Amino acid sequence: MTAVPPSRKMKRLYRSDVRAAKLRLGHRVRVTPMFHTEVTGPHGPVKVSFKLEYLQHGGTFKVRGSLNALLEAREDRRPVVIASGGNAGIAAALACAVLGRPCTVVVPESAPHTKVAAMWAYGAEVLWHGTTYAEAHRYADELTEERGAVQLHAYDLPAVVAGAGVVGLEIERQVRGRPPVLVAVGGGGLAAGIAAALGGRGHVVGVEPKGAPTLHSALAAGRAVDVHVNSIAADALGATRIGGIAFEVAQRYRMGSVLVTDDAIAMAREYLWREFRIVVEPAGATALAAIQSGAYVPEPGERPVVVLCGANTDPATL
């Protein structure tokens, strides 16, 4: 279950893969609610629908992907290794706890203590290595081989992306029509999964910090490229390159991309707390920042879906 190297042909992801993930996951994950409301935009109130995915087990959508990947290969009982800046490690630790598998998470030194504590709470072994996700990932590769383990990937594994895509199937049942879906992008697993779930009739817009424009840069270059990461959302959106699966899906379904500043993310996060008493991490507020900053302007009569994707944060930082 390691990520597919760029030199190998990658499996294309389709709605059927996401539907299979939904059946596989069953009642192990929450169907998170939709909340229809208005938010303050640059020119007045904007109607939106919040997908409250931060209420998912473990406070992150990523548990869907980790569980799906482990259930897909449930006869494989080897220990699990994953590199993560935070949420993917929490998700893997939780999925392993549910299925009775040992789990080791390799985190960079910058990983927030709040997220590391959650990994410990679910019984994972946590190892620190390097200062970036890329360095942690290289060590996880070595560890996987040394221990004869199986490796999960935070965002570039077909089963992980398909599991995340179940969010898209839920949105489809919870709202009328085909509104645009705004999703924060780091490695792109959630946005790609939702786009695959909705298919050609869907409209997914990736929202990225200006300090971590993986999808934006790849679409401009016509290929995945490395970017320098410097953002308040880097612990969750800290990938230095868009995932291969996400980029293929983004091109196939013409996924859009908009950029937002760290200030806009911080303001959106504080707004969610002040107006709705919703506590999310910076990545969880990134999609909303596009609406409030004017980076994304809805068409007349359009009510976009804004995915609030993660809640693993220290409330004292609000």
Side-chain angles (χ1 to χ4, degrees), residues 209-269:
K210 286 187 176 180
T214 57
L215 176 59
H216 199 86
S217 298
L219 292 175
R223 59 185 177 85
V225 294
D226 289 328
V227 301
H228 176 69
V229 175
N230 181 20
S231 170
I232 60 171
D235 64 305
L237 307 180
T240 56
R241 174 185 287 244
I242 195 73
I245 296 171
F247 185 56
E248 190 280 324
V249 171
Q251 288 187 308
R252 188 179 359 139
Y253 293 121
R254 299 182 180 180
M255 190 187 301
S257 169
V258 297
L259 302 179
V260 294
T261 66
D262 277 2
D263 283 347
I265 293 171
M267 290 175 64
R269 182 170 178 253

Side-chain angles (χ1 to χ4, degrees), residues 92-148:
L94 175 53
C96 287
V98 169
L99 300 176
R101 301 273 293 272
C103 179
T104 298
V105 185
V106 182
V107 300
E109 294 168 6
S110 57
H113 178 74
T114 301
K115 296 189 176 185
V116 172
M119 298 173 204
W120 282 331
Y122 292 125
E125 175 191 26
V126 181
L127 302 177
W128 283 263
H129 188 87
T131 58
T132 66
Y133 169 76
E135 291 173 332
H137 189 271
R138 284 193 290 271
Y139 183 64
D141 288 340
E142 297 173 10
L143 203 63
T144 299
E145 186 173 351
E146 289 175 9
R147 297 186 176 183

Side-chain angles (χ1 to χ4, degrees), residues 7-271:
S7 59
R8 289 174 53 191
K9 186 175 180 180
M10 184 172 291
K11 177 185 182 297
R12 298 183 85 183
L13 202 71
Y14 292 97
R15 179 179 172 89
S16 58
D17 298 300
V18 182
R19 289 177 62 86
K22 181 178 184 296
L23 291 173
R24 195 175 292 118
L25 290 169
H27 298 294
R28 292 181 176 90
V29 296
R30 291 175 178 144
V31 176
T32 53
M34 190 74 70
F35 174 42
H36 307 291
T37 188
E38 288 185 346
V39 299
T40 301
H43 305 295
V46 179
K47 292 183 178 181
V48 298
S49 297
F50 288 153
K51 176 60 170 168
L52 306 183
E53 185 60 17
Y54 71 94
L55 296 174
Q56 189 53 255
H57 295 298
T60 172
F61 73 92
K62 288 180 177 286
V63 72
R64 298 174 183 263
S66 290
L67 266 173
N68 186 52
L70 294 178
L71 288 168
E72 186 180 65
R74 63 185 312 159
E75 71 285 350
D76 187 343
R77 303 301 298 174
R78 289 177 293 169
V80 173
V81 172
I82 187 170
S84 171
N87 286 337
I90 293 171
L94 175 53
C96 287
V98 169
L99 300 176
R101 301 273 293 272
C103 179
T104 298
V105 185
V106 182
V107 300
E109 294 168 6
S110 57
H113 178 74
T114 301
K115 296 189 176 185
V116 172
M119 298 173 204
W120 282 331
Y122 292 125
E125 175 191 26
V126 181
L127 302 177
W128 283 263
H129 188 87
T131 58
T132 66
Y133 169 76
E135 291 173 332
H137 189 271
R138 284 193 290 271
Y139 183 64
D141 288 340
E142 297 173 10
L143 203 63
T144 299
E145 186 173 351
E146 289 175 9
R147 297 186 176 183
V150 61
Q151 188 175 354
L152 286 177
H153 195 282
Y155 55 84
D156 206 19
L157 189 67
V160 166
V161 179
V166 176
V167 173
L169 297 181
E170 292 178 11
I171 291 172
E172 191 175 51
R173 295 191 63 180
Q174 291 169 324
V175 298
R176 295 180 179 179
R178 292 277 183 163
V181 182
L182 275 60
V183 191
V185 171
L190 179 58
I194 292 174
L198 300 179
R201 294 183 296 162
H203 180 201
V204 176
V205 179
V207 184
E208 305 170 87
K210 286 187 176 180
T214 57
L215 176 59
H216 199 86
S217 298
L219 292 175
R223 59 185 177 85
V225 294
D226 289 328
V227 301
H228 176 69
V229 175
N230 181 20
S231 170
I232 60 171
D235 64 305
L237 307 180
T240 56
R241 174 185 287 244
I242 195 73
I245 296 171
F247 185 56
E248 190 280 324
V249 171
Q251 288 187 308
R252 188 179 359 139
Y253 293 121
R254 299 182 180 180
M255 190 187 301
S257 169
V258 297
L259 302 179
V260 294
T261 66
D262 277 2
D263 283 347
I265 293 171
M267 290 175 64
R269 182 170 178 253
E270 193 275 333
Y271 178 87

Side-chain angles (χ1 to χ4, degrees), residues 35 50 52 54 268-280 308 318:
F35 174 42
F50 288 153
L52 306 183
Y54 71 94
R269 182 170 178 253
E270 193 275 333
Y271 178 87
L272 285 167
W273 168 247
R274 185 179 71 248
E275 297 296 325
F276 303 105
R277 290 300 185 260
I278 289 174
V279 179
V280 294
L308 305 181
L318 282 165

